[in-house]
Amino acid sequence: MNVFVIGIGLIGGSLAKDIKMLYPQSKLFGIDSSEMHLKQAFSLNIIDEMASMDDLYKADWVIVAVPVDVAVSLVPEVLDKIPSHALVLEVGSTKAALCKAISKHKNRRNLLATHPIAGTEFSGPKAAHCGLFKGKTNIICEIDKTAFPIQEKALKLFAALEMHIRYMKPKAHDKHIAYVSHLSHISSFMLGKTVIEKEQNERDIFDLAGSGFESTVRLAKSSPAMWTPIFKQNKTNIIGCLEEYIRNLKQFKKLIENDKYDPIFKELESTNKIKEILNGIQFKQ
Amino acid sequence: MNVFVIGIGLIGGSLAKDIKMLYPQSKLFGIDSSEMHLKQAFSLNIIDEMASMDDLYKADWVIVAVPVDVAVSLVPEVLDKIPSHALVLEVGSTKAALCKAISKHKNRRNLLATHPIAGTEFSGPKAAHCGLFKGKTNIICEIDKTAFPIQEKALKLFAALEMHIRYMKPKAHDKHIAYVSHLSHISSFMLGKTVIEKEQNERDIFDLAGSGFESTVRLAKSSPAMWTPIFKQNKTNIIGCLEEYIRNLKQFKKLIENDKYDPIFKELESTNKIKEILNGIQFKQ
């Protein structure tokens, strides 16, 4: 089985590693716009062969794990070039623009649009590792637009990866994920920015930082090349949740300014229920 | 050696456990406004005896680990009651109000004002554990106002706990810690609040949450009884850094609204340098 991975970063590379372990007979081909990443993936044994888009005619599976703006133009090209039996998996963090871009493609039924909720703040082939997807949620969009045999192959892979499947419409996906992923990234980036700016005038601030600070700014290490296109594609939803977040911060600031400490206590107490919510979810890095 | 711990929560309880291990001959006395916590600490063997403020006459060491508003009135009372050789350690998250409250006390020189940058989102005696302070930073304020023999005992304890010492003025402490701790807590609480509010109208949002979300909202599990008084005591500094954080968020939102993706990329890229900063710091939970 010939498996092509386009974009050998954290997600593409980790999928390649898992597939190689689960399907030892498979041959892994890598395609990447960065020659350095491609060579790294080869020397790290993540892929067996460096390939190009013109080799896709021999693909059985194609995994597209590129920034979401690249995916919109690249996936139609992939669909143009694959043989009729091939499975194409797109795994980006937004789904509406991608699904729209391929809605009329003659080979639409070869593609399954997914979003595995897995990742770390690290990127590139060196960050790839086996087991990244185990126990994680995988959101599948527009399953009905994918051919049955293709669905079947993909679901078998996800079951082997031990992922939980959730089915959603692309627009609902993009709206919900803005709250539980995109907003977290912006809050983290801006927190990092605020403290870096302060540090320029007041030395040694970071020397006082503890694990709480580290936890809240961890996502500020994330790749700008991956995240700028996500913010662009999910603009409307992100503006919406940013407005709510800023409104809540301003209201909290006002409570402090007006010495309203009882309402602050109640606010913190009612937000504490995030404990029970998070306890119900299994998080693994 | 009689060691009194007032407030047997995460910090007080963990200190008690470490002291018991480091000084096996010491006898641990617990004082807590919550009878339940006191009994828990006793049954968990964190303390050897449940005590009251009237027992402080026999104290060699007193550790005060109570909410910062309680500390301001409680520490003078402790200083009233201790014998003249006793060491009193106050370990709260703000320092200016405490140092001011005791500045004229006749036994001021028995007290060392510190802030160990250690903690988790958990609280109460059950959260206490050995080794919490190992490798962590401990901020000491106004060391010159503490008597030499008292300084010496405390520094010996901190060395045994393997803590890094930083000396700061109380006001500088409160200003800097607002950025690297208090702001992180507010950003996390408000992020949790924003998503909980959304969840009320749109079901199953949390089902899509990954480890990134978990990381940014972890601090929203923190104790309201501990944090409300911190926000109150450090009001001015917190309002200042909240304003900067909100300004940065608004500016970022504006960049998205105006489709300024090149500046967004640059913004994320320059904030990425938090990687190197955090790499330079050792974080342990």
Side-chain angles (χ1 to χ4, degrees), chain A residues 67-79:
Chain A
V68 293
D69 56 337
V70 179
V72 169
S73 56
L74 190 77
V75 171
E77 199 187 329
V78 171
L79 292 176

Side-chain angles (χ1 to χ4, degrees), chain B:
Chain B
M1 183 170 73
N2 290 335
V3 180
F4 281 72
V5 180
I6 310 181
I8 326 264
L10 171 69
I11 298 295
S14 298
L15 267 171
K17 284 188 144 195
D18 278 340
I19 288 171
K20 209 166 186 175
M21 206 174 55
L22 292 165
Y23 307 86
Q25 305 305 324
S26 60
K27 186 168 178 185
L28 272 293
F29 295 79
I31 299 176
D32 203 296
S33 63
S34 153
E35 213 184 307
M36 190 189 74
H37 276 184
L38 197 58
K39 285 180 178 167
Q40 262 180 14
F42 182 71
S43 66
L44 289 164
N45 272 323
I46 297 173
I47 53 169
D48 302 306
E49 206 169 288
M50 296 183 270
S52 77
M53 294 291 283
D54 292 331
D55 301 314
L56 285 175
Y57 69 92
K58 54 183 175 186
D60 298 301
W61 288 8
V62 185
I63 289 154
V64 186
V66 298
V68 293
D69 56 337
V70 179
V72 169
S73 57
L74 190 77
V75 171
E77 199 187 330
V78 171
L79 291 176
D80 288 341
K81 296 190 170 185
I82 49 161
S84 62
H85 72 283
L87 151 69
V88 182
L89 279 183
E90 191 280 335
V91 297
S93 298
T94 56
K95 294 269 79 66
L98 186 270
C99 287
K100 197 177 164 202
I102 52 162
S103 63
K104 306 245 187 281
H105 197 287
K106 66 178 174 34
N107 296 330
R108 168 68 184 89
R109 294 176 67 74
N110 288 71
L111 181 126
L112 190 70
T114 71
H115 179 195
I117 312 289
T120 69
E121 66 276 29
F122 306 111
S123 51
K126 284 184 182 170
H129 56 277
C130 278
L132 175 66
F133 304 98
K134 192 178 169 177
K136 305 286 172 63
T137 298
N138 195 10
I139 304 170
I140 295 179
C141 292
E142 299 187 337
I143 181 96
D144 53 301
K145 299 198 174 169
T146 305
F148 286 135
I150 302 287
Q151 287 182 22
E152 215 173 350
K153 285 178 204 168
L155 290 173
K156 214 173 142 185
L157 170 65
F158 302 150
L161 292 170
E162 299 179 48
M163 301 194 80
H164 308 298
I165 307 299
R166 295 285 178 272
Y167 298 94
M168 291 184 87
K169 288 183 179 161
K171 281 191 179 172
H173 166 276
D174 286 8
K175 189 175 179 184
H176 289 188
I177 215 72
Y179 280 88
V180 287
S181 170
H182 304 172
L183 181 58
S184 283
H185 281 79
I186 295 174
S187 108
S188 199
F189 269 113
M190 291 303 107
L191 194 59
K193 186 189 176 190
T194 305
V195 184
I196 288 172
E197 282 173 349
K198 197 68 188 172
E199 173 87 351
Q200 286 163 347
N201 307 316
E202 314 264 346
R203 290 183 307 155
D204 303 331
I205 287 185
F206 287 108
D207 209 35
L208 313 181
S211 60
F213 177 70
E214 202 265 341
S215 179
T216 47
V217 297
R218 180 169 74 80
L219 299 178
K221 303 179 198 171
S222 303
S223 154
M226 174 180 169
W227 282 94
T228 307
I230 293 174
F231 298 150
K232 186 176 177 179
Q233 274 195 7
N234 209 13
K235 173 178 170 173
T236 313
N237 289 315
I238 286 171
I239 289 171
C241 60
L242 256 178
E243 271 167 3
E244 288 168 42
Y245 182 51
I246 293 169
R247 193 185 311 127
N248 282 327
L249 284 163
K250 280 166 123 176
Q251 182 225 342
F252 195 80
K253 183 168 82 80
K254 202 161 190 173
L255 289 176
I256 297 181
E257 281 167 345
N258 298 329
D259 298 309
K260 303 278 189 200
Y261 298 106
D262 286 341
I264 286 176
F265 185 96
K266 284 191 190 105
E267 191 99 293
L268 303 186
E269 201 176 33
S270 84
T271 307
N272 269 175
K273 78 174 169 209
I274 201 98
K275 264 186 243 184
E276 286 74 53
I277 296 168
L278 295 175
N279 282 344
I281 313 172
Q282 216 187 359
F283 293 108
K284 288 175 196 161
Q285 279 259 339

Side-chain angles (χ1 to χ4, degrees), chain A residues 158-212:
Chain A
F158 301 148
L161 293 169
E162 299 179 47
M163 302 193 79
H164 307 298
I165 307 299
R166 294 286 177 271
Y167 298 96
M168 291 184 88
K169 288 181 181 166
K171 282 191 178 170
H173 166 276
D174 287 7
K175 190 176 180 183
H176 290 188
I177 214 73
Y179 281 87
V180 287
S181 170
H182 305 173
L183 180 58
S184 282
H185 280 79
I186 295 174
S187 105
S188 199
F189 269 113
M190 291 304 104
L191 194 59
K193 187 189 175 189
T194 305
V195 183
I196 287 172
E197 281 173 349
K198 197 69 189 171
E199 173 87 352
Q200 286 162 349
N201 307 316
E202 313 265 348
R203 289 182 309 158
D204 304 330
I205 288 187
F206 288 107
D207 208 35
L208 312 183
S211 61

Side-chain angles (χ1 to χ4, degrees), chain A residues 36-196:
Chain A
M36 189 191 74
H37 275 183
L38 198 58
K39 284 180 177 166
Q40 262 181 11
F42 182 72
S43 67
L44 289 165
N45 271 324
I46 297 173
I47 53 168
D48 302 306
E49 207 169 287
M50 295 183 270
S52 76
M53 293 291 284
D54 292 331
D55 301 314
L56 286 175
Y57 70 91
K58 54 184 175 184
D60 297 302
W61 288 9
V62 185
I63 288 154
V64 186
V66 298
V68 293
D69 56 337
V70 179
V72 169
S73 56
L74 190 77
V75 171
E77 199 187 329
V78 171
L79 292 176
D80 288 341
K81 294 189 171 184
I82 47 160
S84 62
H85 72 284
L87 152 70
V88 182
L89 280 184
E90 192 279 333
V91 297
S93 297
T94 56
K95 295 267 79 68
L98 187 268
C99 287
K100 196 178 165 200
I102 53 162
S103 63
K104 306 241 187 284
H105 197 286
K106 67 180 175 28
N107 296 331
R108 169 68 185 86
R109 295 175 66 76
N110 288 70
L111 181 125
L112 189 71
T114 72
H115 179 194
I117 312 290
T120 69
E121 66 276 28
F122 305 111
S123 49
K126 284 183 182 171
H129 56 279
C130 279
L132 176 66
F133 305 99
K134 192 177 168 179
K136 304 286 173 62
T137 298
N138 195 10
I139 305 170
I140 296 180
C141 292
E142 299 187 334
I143 181 97
D144 52 301
K145 297 195 175 170
T146 305
F148 285 135
I150 302 289
Q151 287 181 22
E152 215 173 347
K153 284 178 204 169
L155 291 174
K156 215 173 140 183
L157 170 66
F158 301 148
L161 293 169
E162 299 179 47
M163 302 193 79
H164 307 298
I165 307 299
R166 294 286 177 271
Y167 298 96
M168 291 184 88
K169 288 181 181 166
K171 282 191 178 170
H173 166 276
D174 287 7
K175 190 176 180 183
H176 290 188
I177 214 73
Y179 281 87
V180 287
S181 170
H182 305 173
L183 180 58
S184 282
H185 280 79
I186 295 174
S187 105
S188 199
F189 269 113
M190 291 304 104
L191 194 59
K193 187 189 175 189
T194 305
V195 183
I196 287 172

